[in-house]
mmCIF file of all heavy atoms in Angstrom:
data_model
loop_
_atom_site.group_PDB
_atom_site.id
_atom_site.type_symbol
_atom_site.label_atom_id
_atom_site.label_comp_id
_atom_site.label_asym_id
_atom_site.label_seq_id
_atom_site.Cartn_x
_atom_site.Cartn_y
_atom_site.Cartn_z
ATOM 1 N N MET A 22 1.554 12.606 67.721
ATOM 2 C CA MET A 22 2.900 12.154 67.997
ATOM 3 C C MET A 22 2.905 11.066 69.076
ATOM 4 O O MET A 22 3.705 10.138 69.004
ATOM 5 C CB MET A 22 3.733 13.366 68.424
ATOM 6 C CG MET A 22 5.178 13.087 68.498
ATOM 7 S SD MET A 22 5.799 12.701 66.865
ATOM 8 C CE MET A 22 7.486 12.529 67.191
ATOM 9 N N ASN A 23 2.008 11.183 70.056
ATOM 10 C CA ASN A 23 1.938 10.169 71.106
ATOM 11 C C ASN A 23 1.587 8.802 70.546
ATOM 12 O O ASN A 23 2.131 7.786 70.991
ATOM 13 C CB ASN A 23 0.910 10.570 72.162
ATOM 14 C CG ASN A 23 1.392 11.708 73.019
ATOM 15 O OD1 ASN A 23 2.582 11.970 73.086
ATOM 16 N ND2 ASN A 23 0.469 12.399 73.648
ATOM 17 N N HIS A 24 0.688 8.765 69.561
ATOM 18 C CA HIS A 24 0.288 7.494 68.970
ATOM 19 C C HIS A 24 1.462 6.815 68.261
ATOM 20 O O HIS A 24 1.618 5.597 68.336
ATOM 21 C CB HIS A 24 -0.861 7.683 67.983
ATOM 22 C CG HIS A 24 -2.135 8.090 68.621
ATOM 23 N ND1 HIS A 24 -2.838 7.266 69.453
ATOM 24 C CD2 HIS A 24 -2.829 9.239 68.548
ATOM 25 C CE1 HIS A 24 -3.920 7.885 69.874
ATOM 26 N NE2 HIS A 24 -3.942 9.104 69.333
ATOM 27 N N VAL A 25 2.269 7.600 67.610
ATOM 28 C CA VAL A 25 3.431 7.051 66.912
ATOM 29 C C VAL A 25 4.418 6.466 67.909
ATOM 30 O O VAL A 25 4.938 5.355 67.720
ATOM 31 C CB VAL A 25 4.101 8.135 66.043
ATOM 32 C CG1 VAL A 25 5.399 7.629 65.440
ATOM 33 C CG2 VAL A 25 3.156 8.620 64.964
ATOM 34 N N ILE A 26 4.668 7.169 68.974
ATOM 35 C CA ILE A 26 5.604 6.679 69.991
ATOM 36 C C ILE A 26 5.072 5.410 70.646
ATOM 37 O O ILE A 26 5.818 4.441 70.833
ATOM 38 C CB ILE A 26 5.882 7.782 71.033
ATOM 39 C CG1 ILE A 26 6.656 8.926 70.377
ATOM 40 C CG2 ILE A 26 6.657 7.233 72.221
ATOM 41 C CD1 ILE A 26 6.790 10.151 71.225
ATOM 42 N N LEU A 27 3.786 5.377 70.973
ATOM 43 C CA LEU A 27 3.204 4.167 71.567
ATOM 44 C C LEU A 27 3.241 2.991 70.603
ATOM 45 O O LEU A 27 3.482 1.850 71.007
ATOM 46 C CB LEU A 27 1.771 4.446 72.017
ATOM 47 C CG LEU A 27 1.634 5.348 73.231
ATOM 48 C CD1 LEU A 27 0.171 5.690 73.477
ATOM 49 C CD2 LEU A 27 2.251 4.694 74.447
ATOM 50 N N MET A 28 3.004 3.244 69.318
ATOM 51 C CA MET A 28 3.073 2.173 68.337
ATOM 52 C C MET A 28 4.498 1.628 68.233
ATOM 53 O O MET A 28 4.703 0.410 68.146
ATOM 54 C CB MET A 28 2.610 2.663 66.970
ATOM 55 C CG MET A 28 2.594 1.557 65.938
ATOM 56 S SD MET A 28 2.407 2.131 64.254
ATOM 57 C CE MET A 28 3.916 3.023 64.010
ATOM 58 N N LEU A 29 5.487 2.502 68.262
ATOM 59 C CA LEU A 29 6.880 2.051 68.218
ATOM 60 C C LEU A 29 7.238 1.224 69.447
ATOM 61 O O LEU A 29 7.921 0.202 69.344
ATOM 62 C CB LEU A 29 7.816 3.254 68.094
ATOM 63 C CG LEU A 29 7.837 3.948 66.742
ATOM 64 C CD1 LEU A 29 8.664 5.221 66.828
ATOM 65 C CD2 LEU A 29 8.379 3.028 65.685
ATOM 66 N N ILE A 30 6.789 1.640 70.602
ATOM 67 C CA ILE A 30 7.053 0.893 71.828
ATOM 68 C C ILE A 30 6.404 -0.492 71.749
ATOM 69 O O ILE A 30 7.030 -1.505 72.070
ATOM 70 C CB ILE A 30 6.560 1.671 73.063
ATOM 71 C CG1 ILE A 30 7.431 2.905 73.286
ATOM 72 C CG2 ILE A 30 6.555 0.780 74.307
ATOM 73 C CD1 ILE A 30 6.891 3.857 74.318
ATOM 74 N N ALA A 31 5.153 -0.556 71.313
ATOM 75 C CA ALA A 31 4.456 -1.841 71.204
ATOM 76 C C ALA A 31 5.142 -2.754 70.198
ATOM 77 O O ALA A 31 5.298 -3.958 70.440
ATOM 78 C CB ALA A 31 3.004 -1.612 70.809
ATOM 79 N N THR A 32 5.571 -2.197 69.075
ATOM 80 C CA THR A 32 6.251 -3.004 68.059
ATOM 81 C C THR A 32 7.574 -3.531 68.582
ATOM 82 O O THR A 32 7.899 -4.707 68.399
ATOM 83 C CB THR A 32 6.478 -2.160 66.790
ATOM 84 O OG1 THR A 32 5.222 -1.669 66.334
ATOM 85 C CG2 THR A 32 7.120 -2.981 65.699
ATOM 86 N N LEU A 33 8.331 -2.697 69.250
ATOM 87 C CA LEU A 33 9.618 -3.136 69.787
ATOM 88 C C LEU A 33 9.448 -4.186 70.883
ATOM 89 O O LEU A 33 10.214 -5.146 70.953
ATOM 90 C CB LEU A 33 10.413 -1.941 70.303
ATOM 91 C CG LEU A 33 10.923 -0.997 69.215
ATOM 92 C CD1 LEU A 33 11.565 0.226 69.847
ATOM 93 C CD2 LEU A 33 11.896 -1.701 68.299
ATOM 94 N N LEU A 34 8.437 -4.023 71.725
ATOM 95 C CA LEU A 34 8.178 -5.048 72.747
ATOM 96 C C LEU A 34 7.784 -6.376 72.115
ATOM 97 O O LEU A 34 8.198 -7.448 72.576
ATOM 98 C CB LEU A 34 7.092 -4.570 73.703
ATOM 99 C CG LEU A 34 7.513 -3.496 74.700
ATOM 100 C CD1 LEU A 34 6.302 -3.009 75.491
ATOM 101 C CD2 LEU A 34 8.584 -4.019 75.625
ATOM 102 N N THR A 35 7.001 -6.319 71.045
ATOM 103 C CA THR A 35 6.612 -7.543 70.341
ATOM 104 C C THR A 35 7.844 -8.251 69.782
ATOM 105 O O THR A 35 7.989 -9.469 69.899
ATOM 106 C CB THR A 35 5.633 -7.221 69.199
ATOM 107 O OG1 THR A 35 4.483 -6.588 69.746
ATOM 108 C CG2 THR A 35 5.207 -8.477 68.470
ATOM 109 N N TYR A 36 8.758 -7.489 69.193
ATOM 110 C CA TYR A 36 9.967 -8.101 68.647
ATOM 111 C C TYR A 36 10.901 -8.615 69.738
ATOM 112 O O TYR A 36 11.576 -9.626 69.544
ATOM 113 C CB TYR A 36 10.686 -7.140 67.718
ATOM 114 C CG TYR A 36 10.032 -7.086 66.358
ATOM 115 C CD1 TYR A 36 9.351 -5.970 65.940
ATOM 116 C CD2 TYR A 36 10.066 -8.187 65.498
ATOM 117 C CE1 TYR A 36 8.724 -5.932 64.703
ATOM 118 C CE2 TYR A 36 9.444 -8.162 64.270
ATOM 119 C CZ TYR A 36 8.777 -7.034 63.872
ATOM 120 O OH TYR A 36 8.167 -7.003 62.661
ATOM 121 N N LEU A 37 10.936 -7.961 70.889
ATOM 122 C CA LEU A 37 11.736 -8.484 72.003
ATOM 123 C C LEU A 37 11.187 -9.819 72.495
ATOM 124 O O LEU A 37 11.937 -10.755 72.776
ATOM 125 C CB LEU A 37 11.776 -7.471 73.144
ATOM 126 C CG LEU A 37 12.700 -6.284 72.951
ATOM 127 C CD1 LEU A 37 12.523 -5.288 74.090
ATOM 128 C CD2 LEU A 37 14.137 -6.747 72.869
ATOM 129 N N ILE A 38 9.863 -9.908 72.600
ATOM 130 C CA ILE A 38 9.244 -11.177 72.994
ATOM 131 C C ILE A 38 9.532 -12.234 71.938
ATOM 132 O O ILE A 38 9.826 -13.384 72.249
ATOM 133 C CB ILE A 38 7.730 -10.997 73.222
ATOM 134 C CG1 ILE A 38 7.494 -10.104 74.439
ATOM 135 C CG2 ILE A 38 7.037 -12.339 73.399
ATOM 136 C CD1 ILE A 38 6.049 -9.677 74.617
ATOM 137 N N LYS A 39 9.480 -11.848 70.673
ATOM 138 C CA LYS A 39 9.768 -12.775 69.580
ATOM 139 C C LYS A 39 11.191 -13.307 69.679
ATOM 140 O O LYS A 39 11.442 -14.490 69.482
ATOM 141 C CB LYS A 39 9.553 -12.045 68.250
ATOM 142 C CG LYS A 39 10.053 -12.760 67.032
ATOM 143 C CD LYS A 39 9.095 -13.830 66.600
ATOM 144 C CE LYS A 39 9.543 -14.409 65.270
ATOM 145 N NZ LYS A 39 9.761 -15.799 65.331
ATOM 146 N N LEU A 40 12.134 -12.447 70.012
ATOM 147 C CA LEU A 40 13.516 -12.889 70.165
ATOM 148 C C LEU A 40 13.667 -13.864 71.324
ATOM 149 O O LEU A 40 14.456 -14.808 71.261
ATOM 150 C CB LEU A 40 14.437 -11.681 70.372
ATOM 151 C CG LEU A 40 14.673 -10.807 69.150
ATOM 152 C CD1 LEU A 40 15.480 -9.579 69.542
ATOM 153 C CD2 LEU A 40 15.386 -11.579 68.067
ATOM 154 N N GLU A 41 12.922 -13.658 72.398
ATOM 155 C CA GLU A 41 12.987 -14.555 73.556
ATOM 156 C C GLU A 41 12.402 -15.928 73.233
ATOM 157 O O GLU A 41 12.903 -16.947 73.679
ATOM 158 C CB GLU A 41 12.229 -13.954 74.737
ATOM 159 C CG GLU A 41 12.919 -12.787 75.376
ATOM 160 C CD GLU A 41 14.149 -13.200 76.162
ATOM 161 O OE1 GLU A 41 14.113 -14.252 76.828
ATOM 162 O OE2 GLU A 41 15.142 -12.465 76.091
ATOM 163 N N LEU A 42 11.326 -15.950 72.443
ATOM 164 C CA LEU A 42 10.638 -17.207 72.157
ATOM 165 C C LEU A 42 11.252 -17.980 71.014
ATOM 166 O O LEU A 42 11.038 -19.179 70.885
ATOM 167 C CB LEU A 42 9.163 -16.938 71.837
ATOM 168 C CG LEU A 42 8.329 -16.404 72.981
ATOM 169 C CD1 LEU A 42 6.920 -16.124 72.493
ATOM 170 C CD2 LEU A 42 8.302 -17.386 74.126
ATOM 171 N N GLY A 43 11.990 -17.334 70.154
ATOM 172 C CA GLY A 43 12.566 -18.000 68.995
ATOM 173 C C GLY A 43 11.574 -18.049 67.848
ATOM 174 O O GLY A 43 10.630 -17.268 67.784
ATOM 175 N N PRO A 44 11.768 -18.989 66.925
ATOM 176 C CA PRO A 44 10.951 -19.015 65.703
ATOM 177 C C PRO A 44 9.575 -19.653 65.868
ATOM 178 O O PRO A 44 8.910 -19.922 64.873
ATOM 179 C CB PRO A 44 11.812 -19.845 64.752
ATOM 180 C CG PRO A 44 12.553 -20.768 65.637
ATOM 181 C CD PRO A 44 12.822 -19.978 66.899
ATOM 182 N N SER A 45 9.118 -19.882 67.078
ATOM 183 C CA SER A 45 7.852 -20.595 67.266
ATOM 184 C C SER A 45 6.624 -19.741 66.968
ATOM 185 O O SER A 45 5.553 -20.275 66.742
ATOM 186 C CB SER A 45 7.756 -21.139 68.689
ATOM 187 O OG SER A 45 7.730 -20.071 69.605
ATOM 188 N N ALA A 46 6.745 -18.427 66.949
ATOM 189 C CA ALA A 46 5.586 -17.567 66.703
ATOM 190 C C ALA A 46 5.981 -16.377 65.847
ATOM 191 O O ALA A 46 7.094 -15.882 65.937
ATOM 192 C CB ALA A 46 5.010 -17.067 68.020
ATOM 193 N N THR A 47 5.033 -15.932 65.026
ATOM 194 C CA THR A 47 5.276 -14.738 64.225
ATOM 195 C C THR A 47 4.896 -13.503 65.041
ATOM 196 O O THR A 47 4.109 -13.610 65.984
ATOM 197 C CB THR A 47 4.447 -14.768 62.932
ATOM 198 O OG1 THR A 47 3.059 -14.726 63.273
ATOM 199 C CG2 THR A 47 4.740 -16.014 62.113
ATOM 200 N N PRO A 48 5.424 -12.340 64.695
ATOM 201 C CA PRO A 48 5.028 -11.120 65.413
ATOM 202 C C PRO A 48 3.521 -10.865 65.344
ATOM 203 O O PRO A 48 2.918 -10.386 66.297
ATOM 204 C CB PRO A 48 5.811 -10.010 64.705
ATOM 205 C CG PRO A 48 7.006 -10.697 64.159
ATOM 206 C CD PRO A 48 6.535 -12.073 63.778
ATOM 207 N N PHE A 49 2.905 -11.214 64.216
ATOM 208 C CA PHE A 49 1.452 -11.029 64.094
ATOM 209 C C PHE A 49 0.707 -11.911 65.091
ATOM 210 O O PHE A 49 -0.252 -11.463 65.725
ATOM 211 C CB PHE A 49 1.005 -11.351 62.663
ATOM 212 C CG PHE A 49 -0.480 -11.256 62.479
ATOM 213 C CD1 PHE A 49 -1.089 -10.014 62.419
ATOM 214 C CD2 PHE A 49 -1.257 -12.389 62.388
ATOM 215 C CE1 PHE A 49 -2.466 -9.917 62.262
ATOM 216 C CE2 PHE A 49 -2.621 -12.297 62.229
ATOM 217 C CZ PHE A 49 -3.234 -11.062 62.161
ATOM 218 N N GLN A 50 1.121 -13.165 65.255
ATOM 219 C CA GLN A 50 0.479 -14.061 66.219
ATOM 220 C C GLN A 50 0.633 -13.532 67.641
ATOM 221 O O GLN A 50 -0.295 -13.607 68.437
ATOM 222 C CB GLN A 50 1.067 -15.465 66.120
ATOM 223 C CG GLN A 50 0.687 -16.194 64.864
ATOM 224 C CD GLN A 50 1.442 -17.502 64.733
ATOM 225 O OE1 GLN A 50 2.583 -17.617 65.171
ATOM 226 N NE2 GLN A 50 0.793 -18.489 64.124
ATOM 227 N N LEU A 51 1.804 -13.026 67.971
ATOM 228 C CA LEU A 51 2.026 -12.485 69.311
ATOM 229 C C LEU A 51 1.168 -11.252 69.560
ATOM 230 O O LEU A 51 0.600 -11.088 70.634
ATOM 231 C CB LEU A 51 3.502 -12.133 69.497
ATOM 232 C CG LEU A 51 4.464 -13.308 69.533
ATOM 233 C CD1 LEU A 51 5.894 -12.807 69.520
ATOM 234 C CD2 LEU A 51 4.198 -14.174 70.732
ATOM 235 N N THR A 52 1.081 -10.389 68.552
ATOM 236 C CA THR A 52 0.257 -9.184 68.697
ATOM 237 C C THR A 52 -1.204 -9.549 68.883
ATOM 238 O O THR A 52 -1.893 -9.004 69.747
ATOM 239 C CB THR A 52 0.422 -8.274 67.470
ATOM 240 O OG1 THR A 52 1.806 -7.982 67.307
ATOM 241 C CG2 THR A 52 -0.350 -6.986 67.628
ATOM 242 N N ARG A 53 -1.695 -10.485 68.082
ATOM 243 C CA ARG A 53 -3.093 -10.901 68.190
ATOM 244 C C ARG A 53 -3.361 -11.547 69.548
ATOM 245 O O ARG A 53 -4.385 -11.284 70.177
ATOM 246 C CB ARG A 53 -3.446 -11.879 67.085
ATOM 247 C CG ARG A 53 -4.873 -12.357 67.224
ATOM 248 C CD ARG A 53 -5.394 -12.872 65.981
ATOM 249 N NE ARG A 53 -5.690 -11.752 65.108
ATOM 250 C CZ ARG A 53 -6.523 -11.842 64.105
ATOM 251 N NH1 ARG A 53 -7.122 -12.965 63.869
ATOM 252 N NH2 ARG A 53 -6.754 -10.816 63.334
ATOM 253 N N ALA A 54 -2.444 -12.384 70.029
ATOM 254 C CA ALA A 54 -2.629 -13.028 71.331
ATOM 255 C C ALA A 54 -2.649 -11.995 72.446
ATOM 256 O O ALA A 54 -3.447 -12.095 73.385
ATOM 257 C CB ALA A 54 -1.533 -14.057 71.570
ATOM 258 N N SER A 55 -1.802 -10.994 72.346
ATOM 259 C CA SER A 55 -1.772 -9.979 73.401
ATOM 260 C C SER A 55 -3.023 -9.113 73.383
ATOM 261 O O SER A 55 -3.491 -8.681 74.425
ATOM 262 C CB SER A 55 -0.524 -9.116 73.277
ATOM 263 O OG SER A 55 -0.588 -8.316 72.120
ATOM 264 N N HIS A 56 -3.588 -8.864 72.204
ATOM 265 C CA HIS A 56 -4.820 -8.074 72.133
ATOM 266 C C HIS A 56 -6.020 -8.860 72.642
ATOM 267 O O HIS A 56 -6.909 -8.300 73.274
ATOM 268 C CB HIS A 56 -5.096 -7.614 70.697
ATOM 269 C CG HIS A 56 -4.258 -6.468 70.280
ATOM 270 N ND1 HIS A 56 -4.458 -5.187 70.722
ATOM 271 C CD2 HIS A 56 -3.173 -6.410 69.466
ATOM 272 C CE1 HIS A 56 -3.558 -4.394 70.193
ATOM 273 N NE2 HIS A 56 -2.759 -5.118 69.434
ATOM 274 N N ASN A 57 -6.045 -10.150 72.350
ATOM 275 C CA ASN A 57 -7.181 -10.970 72.779
ATOM 276 C C ASN A 57 -7.220 -11.170 74.283
ATOM 277 O O ASN A 57 -8.282 -11.328 74.864
ATOM 278 C CB ASN A 57 -7.153 -12.333 72.081
ATOM 279 C CG ASN A 57 -7.493 -12.228 70.614
ATOM 280 O OD1 ASN A 57 -8.106 -11.271 70.182
ATOM 281 N ND2 ASN A 57 -7.090 -13.221 69.856
ATOM 282 N N GLN A 58 -6.072 -11.190 74.923
ATOM 283 C CA GLN A 58 -6.011 -11.477 76.354
ATOM 284 C C GLN A 58 -5.217 -10.405 77.082
ATOM 285 O O GLN A 58 -4.389 -10.696 77.933
ATOM 286 C CB GLN A 58 -5.385 -12.848 76.563
ATOM 287 C CG GLN A 58 -6.181 -13.932 75.910
ATOM 288 C CD GLN A 58 -5.474 -15.261 75.962
ATOM 289 O OE1 GLN A 58 -4.298 -15.334 76.271
ATOM 290 N NE2 GLN A 58 -6.180 -16.307 75.642
ATOM 291 N N ARG A 59 -5.486 -9.158 76.787
ATOM 292 C CA ARG A 59 -4.661 -8.064 77.300
ATOM 293 C C ARG A 59 -4.723 -7.886 78.809
ATOM 294 O O ARG A 59 -3.839 -7.289 79.388
ATOM 295 C CB ARG A 59 -4.987 -6.766 76.597
ATOM 296 C CG ARG A 59 -6.323 -6.186 76.964
ATOM 297 C CD ARG A 59 -6.565 -4.944 76.185
ATOM 298 N NE ARG A 59 -6.903 -5.378 74.843
ATOM 299 C CZ ARG A 59 -7.688 -4.740 74.034
ATOM 300 N NH1 ARG A 59 -8.192 -3.607 74.395
ATOM 301 N NH2 ARG A 59 -7.974 -5.213 72.857
ATOM 302 N N PHE A 60 -5.749 -8.393 79.470
ATOM 303 C CA PHE A 60 -5.846 -8.206 80.923
ATOM 304 C C PHE A 60 -5.420 -9.442 81.701
ATOM 305 O O PHE A 60 -5.504 -9.462 82.915
ATOM 306 C CB PHE A 60 -7.266 -7.800 81.301
ATOM 307 C CG PHE A 60 -7.670 -6.481 80.697
ATOM 308 C CD1 PHE A 60 -8.651 -6.422 79.732
ATOM 309 C CD2 PHE A 60 -7.048 -5.314 81.085
ATOM 310 C CE1 PHE A 60 -9.010 -5.213 79.159
ATOM 311 C CE2 PHE A 60 -7.399 -4.097 80.517
ATOM 312 C CZ PHE A 60 -8.377 -4.052 79.556
ATOM 313 N N ASP A 61 -4.958 -10.467 80.992
ATOM 314 C CA ASP A 61 -4.464 -11.676 81.649
ATOM 315 C C ASP A 61 -2.969 -11.542 81.914
ATOM 316 O O ASP A 61 -2.289 -10.667 81.381
ATOM 317 C CB ASP A 61 -4.699 -12.900 80.770
ATOM 318 C CG ASP A 61 -6.176 -13.252 80.670
ATOM 319 O OD1 ASP A 61 -6.945 -12.835 81.551
ATOM 320 O OD2 ASP A 61 -6.552 -13.932 79.708
ATOM 321 N N VAL A 62 -2.462 -12.446 82.712
ATOM 322 C CA VAL A 62 -1.027 -12.493 82.987
ATOM 323 C C VAL A 62 -0.310 -12.908 81.698
ATOM 324 O O VAL A 62 -0.799 -13.743 80.942
ATOM 325 C CB VAL A 62 -0.748 -13.507 84.118
ATOM 326 C CG1 VAL A 62 0.726 -13.596 84.421
ATOM 327 C CG2 VAL A 62 -1.534 -13.139 85.358
ATOM 328 N N ALA A 63 0.845 -12.327 81.428
ATOM 329 C CA ALA A 63 1.566 -12.573 80.177
ATOM 330 C C ALA A 63 1.901 -14.051 79.980
ATOM 331 O O ALA A 63 1.897 -14.542 78.857
ATOM 332 C CB ALA A 63 2.841 -11.741 80.135
ATOM 333 N N GLU A 64 2.158 -14.774 81.057
ATOM 334 C CA GLU A 64 2.503 -16.182 80.919
ATOM 335 C C GLU A 64 1.353 -16.995 80.318
ATOM 336 O O GLU A 64 1.581 -17.986 79.649
ATOM 337 C CB GLU A 64 2.903 -16.790 82.269
ATOM 338 C CG GLU A 64 4.268 -16.359 82.764
ATOM 339 C CD GLU A 64 4.251 -15.003 83.442
ATOM 340 O OE1 GLU A 64 3.178 -14.537 83.879
ATOM 341 O OE2 GLU A 64 5.316 -14.392 83.528
ATOM 342 N N LEU A 65 0.117 -16.567 80.552
ATOM 343 C CA LEU A 65 -1.032 -17.294 80.009
ATOM 344 C C LEU A 65 -1.127 -17.164 78.499
ATOM 345 O O LEU A 65 -1.390 -18.142 77.803
ATOM 346 C CB LEU A 65 -2.339 -16.797 80.655
ATOM 347 C CG LEU A 65 -2.535 -17.125 82.114
ATOM 348 C CD1 LEU A 65 -3.837 -16.520 82.622
ATOM 349 C CD2 LEU A 65 -2.533 -18.624 82.326
ATOM 350 N N TRP A 66 -0.930 -15.964 77.960
ATOM 351 C CA TRP A 66 -1.053 -15.825 76.516
ATOM 352 C C TRP A 66 0.225 -16.145 75.769
ATOM 353 O O TRP A 66 0.221 -16.341 74.564
ATOM 354 C CB TRP A 66 -1.629 -14.477 76.104
ATOM 355 C CG TRP A 66 -0.897 -13.243 76.519
ATOM 356 C CD1 TRP A 66 -1.118 -12.511 77.643
ATOM 357 C CD2 TRP A 66 0.160 -12.584 75.813
ATOM 358 N NE1 TRP A 66 -0.260 -11.447 77.672
ATOM 359 C CE2 TRP A 66 0.524 -11.456 76.555
ATOM 360 C CE3 TRP A 66 0.815 -12.838 74.610
ATOM 361 C CZ2 TRP A 66 1.523 -10.600 76.158
ATOM 362 C CZ3 TRP A 66 1.808 -11.969 74.211
ATOM 363 C CH2 TRP A 66 2.154 -10.874 74.978
ATOM 364 N N LEU A 67 1.344 -16.261 76.472
ATOM 365 C CA LEU A 67 2.583 -16.692 75.824
ATOM 366 C C LEU A 67 2.749 -18.209 75.865
ATOM 367 O O LEU A 67 3.563 -18.756 75.131
ATOM 368 C CB LEU A 67 3.784 -16.047 76.503
ATOM 369 C CG LEU A 67 3.987 -14.565 76.234
ATOM 370 C CD1 LEU A 67 5.151 -14.047 77.070
ATOM 371 C CD2 LEU A 67 4.229 -14.308 74.774
ATOM 372 N N LYS A 68 1.976 -18.887 76.703
ATOM 373 C CA LYS A 68 2.124 -20.335 76.895
ATOM 374 C C LYS A 68 2.067 -21.134 75.588
ATOM 375 O O LYS A 68 2.875 -22.027 75.384
ATOM 376 C CB LYS A 68 1.056 -20.826 77.864
ATOM 377 C CG LYS A 68 1.271 -22.211 78.358
ATOM 378 C CD LYS A 68 0.200 -22.582 79.358
ATOM 379 C CE LYS A 68 0.787 -23.369 80.474
ATOM 380 N NZ LYS A 68 -0.185 -23.702 81.481
ATOM 381 N N PRO A 69 1.132 -20.847 74.651
ATOM 382 C CA PRO A 69 1.103 -21.637 73.424
ATOM 383 C C PRO A 69 2.349 -21.458 72.537
ATOM 384 O O PRO A 69 2.639 -22.309 71.714
ATOM 385 C CB PRO A 69 -0.128 -21.117 72.675
ATOM 386 C CG PRO A 69 -0.908 -20.352 73.645
ATOM 387 C CD PRO A 69 0.012 -19.923 74.725
ATOM 388 N N PHE A 70 3.082 -20.394 72.721
ATOM 389 C CA PHE A 70 4.216 -20.106 71.852
ATOM 390 C C PHE A 70 5.541 -20.594 72.418
ATOM 391 O O PHE A 70 6.534 -20.618 71.711
ATOM 392 C CB PHE A 70 4.304 -18.604 71.591
ATOM 393 C CG PHE A 70 3.062 -18.040 70.969
ATOM 394 C CD1 PHE A 70 2.240 -17.200 71.683
ATOM 395 C CD2 PHE A 70 2.704 -18.381 69.681
ATOM 396 C CE1 PHE A 70 1.096 -16.681 71.119
ATOM 397 C CE2 PHE A 70 1.557 -17.878 69.113
ATOM 398 C CZ PHE A 70 0.756 -17.030 69.825
ATOM 399 N N ILE A 71 5.580 -20.962 73.695
ATOM 400 C CA ILE A 71 6.814 -21.406 74.336
ATOM 401 C C ILE A 71 7.046 -22.873 73.973
ATOM 402 O O ILE A 71 6.206 -23.719 74.227
ATOM 403 C CB ILE A 71 6.752 -21.231 75.859
ATOM 404 C CG1 ILE A 71 6.598 -19.749 76.199
ATOM 405 C CG2 ILE A 71 7.990 -21.805 76.523
ATOM 406 C CD1 ILE A 71 6.357 -19.473 77.662
ATOM 407 N N PRO A 72 8.189 -23.169 73.327
ATOM 408 C CA PRO A 72 8.465 -24.559 72.964
ATOM 409 C C PRO A 72 8.690 -25.423 74.211
ATOM 410 O O PRO A 72 9.287 -24.980 75.185
ATOM 411 C CB PRO A 72 9.731 -24.479 72.129
ATOM 412 C CG PRO A 72 10.280 -23.121 72.309
ATOM 413 C CD PRO A 72 9.222 -22.263 72.925
ATOM 414 N N THR A 73 8.175 -26.622 74.159
ATOM 415 C CA THR A 73 8.327 -27.533 75.299
ATOM 416 C C THR A 73 9.326 -28.612 75.022
ATOM 417 O O THR A 73 9.686 -28.927 73.957
ATOM 418 C CB THR A 73 6.987 -28.193 75.657
ATOM 419 O OG1 THR A 73 6.480 -28.844 74.529
ATOM 420 C CG2 THR A 73 6.028 -27.162 76.157
#
């Protein structure tokens, strides 16, 4: 049951970030970026997705 709850939290956080960034990134891209750089500051792995 804990795994299901954690998965729901992670999915909802991904969609919240997606709503903040707009259509520049897919949820899959955000999830992959967060897994690849999970110990870095969030601004570093979100930088490629933020429109300039």
Side-chain angles (χ1 to χ4, degrees):
M22 191 65 176
N23 288 340
H24 292 293
V25 173
I26 293 170
L27 289 173
M28 183 193 66
L29 287 173
I30 291 170
T32 303
L33 291 174
L34 286 174
T35 301
Y36 281 110
L37 283 174
I38 293 170
K39 169 79 173 122
L40 288 174
E41 288 288 321
L42 294 177
S45 64
T47 64
F49 177 75
Q50 289 172 328
L51 292 172
T52 304
R53 178 159 285 201
S55 68
H56 283 286
N57 289 339
Q58 299 173 347
R59 71 182 75 150
F60 297 113
D61 290 339
V62 179
E64 286 81 20
L65 291 178
W66 59 267
L67 287 175
K68 192 177 219 178
F70 302 111
I71 298 173
T73 56

